[in-house]
């Protein structure tokens, strides 16, 4: 009987020691090591790819934002997303596409209305946007509806409106777009793109500089 109790106690003791060692290794040491390496080698990515302006975090380079006034470059639409009344900066609590087919009447209506608005908003005296100039990303949301980038084509048709509303020359704004246009990764992966938040921050800096 005593031997049985003693063996049980030894087994429990060994199990407890194993639990403590594994908890220390996998629950403390390993997470700290991974966090340390990430902070040392990939600080920006590890902290959410934050974008700062005037010393404050204003967003992430990986997440698109809605609600820019027409003084700024506009993002892709975010149709079909949920909203909440707490986080009013982003107004999004879901990530995903609308799941509507290409011939869905509601989607067709959205696209037509979005195209008409893009044409109207970006047509200014001396420059008229034609419906054929409006790229797909100007009237459709991305698969996640959180795409932070727009195509150079969509940025270009916004240039004249942005220049007029900010008292800048078209050449100044065109240069800004060109400077913030990223090419394909390694020359063949993805498409050329412009990060809207980064572009608008640069625009605000240009306007402030005067």
């Amino acid at each position: 009987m005593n031997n049985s109790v003693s063996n049980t106690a030894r087994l429990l003791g060994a199990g407890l020691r194993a639990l403590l060692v594994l908890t220390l290794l996998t629950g403390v040491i390993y997470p700290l090591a991974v966090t340390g390496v990430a902070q040392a080698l990939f600080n920006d990515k590890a902290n959410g790819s934050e974008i700062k302006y005037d010393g404050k975090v204003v967003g992430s380079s990986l997440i698109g934002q809605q609600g820019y006034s027409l003084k700024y470059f506009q993002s892709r639409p975010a149709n079909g997303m949920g909203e909440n009344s707490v986080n009013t900066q982003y107004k999004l609590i879901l990530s995903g596409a609308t799941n509507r087919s290409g011939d869905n009447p509601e989607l067709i209506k959205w696209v037509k209305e979005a195209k008409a608005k893009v044409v109207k908003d970006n047509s200014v005296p001396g420059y008229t946007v034609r419906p054929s100039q409006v790229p797909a990303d100007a009237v459709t949301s991305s698969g996640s509806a959180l795409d932070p980038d727009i195509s150079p084509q969509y940025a270009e048709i916004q240039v004249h409106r942005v220049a007029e509303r900010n008292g800048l020359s078209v050449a100044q704004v065109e240069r800004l777009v060109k400077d913030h246009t990223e090419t394909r990764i390694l020359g063949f992966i993805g498409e050329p793109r412009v990060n809207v938040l980064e572009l608008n921050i640069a625009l605000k800096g240009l306007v402030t500089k005067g």
Side-chain angles (χ1 to χ4, degrees), residues 149-152 180-185 189 191-195:
D149 305 319
I150 58 175
S151 65
H180 287 81
T181 298
E182 299 179 49
T183 57
R184 291 181 173 87
I185 300 171
I189 300 175
E191 295 294 330
R193 61 206 179 279
V194 183
N195 186 284

Side-chain angles (χ1 to χ4, degrees), residues 97-169:
T98 63
N99 290 326
R100 288 168 173 78
S101 63
D103 60 352
N104 181 277
E106 189 174 24
L107 178 61
I108 293 172
K109 180 174 178 288
W110 282 350
V111 170
K112 287 182 176 179
E113 290 176 349
K115 180 174 286 192
K117 187 175 188 306
V118 169
V119 169
K120 179 183 176 182
D121 287 347
N122 293 287
S123 293
V124 298
Y127 177 78
T128 301
V129 176
R130 299 187 303 275
S132 60
Q133 290 179 270
V134 180
D137 63 300
V139 297
T140 58
S141 60
S142 64
S144 68
L146 299 176
D147 193 342
D149 305 319
I150 58 175
S151 65
Q153 291 77 18
Y154 187 24
E156 286 167 8
I157 65 173
Q158 300 185 60
V159 164
H160 287 76
R161 184 250 304 158
V162 170
E164 182 189 62
R165 289 181 176 254
N166 289 282
L168 299 170
S169 70

Side-chain angles (χ1 to χ4, degrees), residues 22-32:
L22 289 173
T23 299
L24 181 64
L25 288 174
T26 62
V28 179
I29 295 176
Y30 178 73
L32 286 177

